Amino acid sequence: MYKLMIADDEPIVVEGIRDGIDWKQYGIEVVGCAYNGAEAEELCRKKIPDIIITDIKMPGIDGLDFLSSVRHIVPHARFIIVSAFELFSYAQTAIELNVQAYLVKPVRSSVIVNTVLQAVQSIQND
């Protein structure tokens, strides 16, 4: 089973992704949720997820800094950014950090599922 972690400062987004999708049917377990960058970093160290969905703008450490700080801890992990910000500079940094996808809120559940399944496929192909 693949381990999925969700990090976003909006509880409704976290709960929607965590509870609104039957992850087990896809062979995925949600191993934890974080509501800021520092929590996300700590959770990542403890749970060693395979796939991480993160927002960019979060209190404390933002999503891009979080991604940079844990890349060496989970080098196999695939990162998916889900953000309300369409700024080119964010997308450019995300590309440099080799994210799996950059999705702009609001995002349909089906898009999230398909993106996570693409991440699973990418892990399997490594």
Side-chain angles (χ1 to χ4, degrees), residues 115-126:
T115 304
V116 169
L117 293 178
Q118 288 171 0
V120 167
Q121 187 68 41
S122 175
I123 292 167
Q124 291 172 344
N125 290 338
D126 264 1

Side-chain angles (χ1 to χ4, degrees), residues 9-70:
D9 62 332
E10 296 179 60
I12 194 165
V13 172
V14 172
E15 293 162 10
I17 295 171
R18 181 189 65 209
D19 302 332
I21 299 166
D22 180 10
W23 289 110
K24 290 194 190 281
Q25 76 171 327
Y26 301 107
I28 297 167
E29 175 188 9
V30 177
V31 294
C33 300
Y35 297 93
N36 63 56
E39 276 182 17
E41 193 172 318
E42 182 178 333
L43 186 61
C44 190
R45 290 177 194 281
K46 288 180 182 176
K47 299 294 184 174
I48 313 295
D50 302 302
I51 302 161
I52 299 168
I53 297 174
T54 185
D55 190 7
I56 288 181
K57 289 289 189 179
M58 295 187 289
I61 303 167
D62 73 22
L64 295 173
D65 289 338
F66 154 67
L67 195 155
S68 294
S69 72
V70 298

Side-chain angles (χ1 to χ4, degrees), residues 56-57 64 81 83-97 99 102 104:
I56 288 181
K57 289 289 189 179
L64 295 173
I81 293 177
S83 179
F85 294 92
E86 297 183 62
L87 293 174
F88 177 73
S89 62
Y90 287 150
Q92 186 175 22
T93 302
I95 289 167
E96 291 168 3
L97 293 170
V99 300
Y102 190 111
V104 179

